[in-house]
Amino acid sequence: MPSANSRFVRAKVPGIAKKLSEQVVAFVQALRKEDLFKSPGVAETLDWASALTELDVVALDPATVSDTLGVLLKYQDDITRLDGTKVKALLDEVQVGAKGSGVIAWPHPKVASPKTFSTLRARCEQPAFRVGPERCSMRLRR
């Protein structure tokens, strides 16, 4: 069963293959766990999915991901940090995860600077941002 995230990508990117949308969502989620200066957001994910669709990509492979990372990541340092072996490892992780539950968190975890941490924490305490009685949908890290 496709996740809500891949359905969202398919709704926003006309013509994208179901398999590709699932792979894009899973790869971006895996990429957000990496130590990057700026993790890709929803807009970058949709831009990347659109670019891959325009290139007639039906499934992610290391060469295609490496060639198109500039659409997904904003900073050259982040792009160079992900060499071919790292991209391959992330794709392998995504394919292993695809055989699991298929549950992927969306939107991505927020990374707060010290200046905005207290503001985000205050917003997180509001009921609208809570997932459950004890958890906040915005995971903050310093």
Side-chain angles (χ1 to χ4, degrees), residues 1 22-23 26 91-104:
M1 182 172 135
E22 292 169 357
Q23 287 180 330
L91 281 174
D92 290 344
E93 177 185 326
V94 164
Q95 290 176 353
V96 168
K99 296 175 185 170
S101 67
V103 176
I104 301 170

Side-chain angles (χ1 to χ4, degrees), residues 18-109:
K18 178 182 173 183
K19 179 180 178 181
L20 180 61
S21 69
E22 292 169 357
Q23 287 180 330
V24 164
V25 168
F27 182 81
V28 170
Q29 288 299 320
L31 192 59
R32 289 175 179 157
K33 296 175 187 173
E34 297 300 312
D35 184 29
L36 300 174
F37 185 73
K38 171 76 171 80
S39 294
V42 175
E44 289 84 8
T45 303
L46 294 175
D47 289 344
W48 189 47
S50 295
L52 292 170
T53 302
E54 289 297 318
L55 293 171
D56 294 324
V57 174
V58 292
L60 292 180
D61 61 80
T64 303
V65 172
S66 295
D67 291 343
T68 58
L69 271 178
V71 178
L72 189 59
L73 299 174
K74 291 185 177 187
Y75 295 99
Q76 187 64 36
D77 290 344
D78 289 342
I79 295 169
T80 56
R81 189 173 293 143
L82 296 174
D83 59 357
T85 56
K86 186 64 178 171
V87 167
K88 172 103 174 74
L90 286 171
L91 281 174
D92 290 344
E93 177 185 326
V94 164
Q95 290 176 353
V96 168
K99 296 175 185 170
S101 67
V103 176
I104 301 170
W106 194 276
H108 70 290

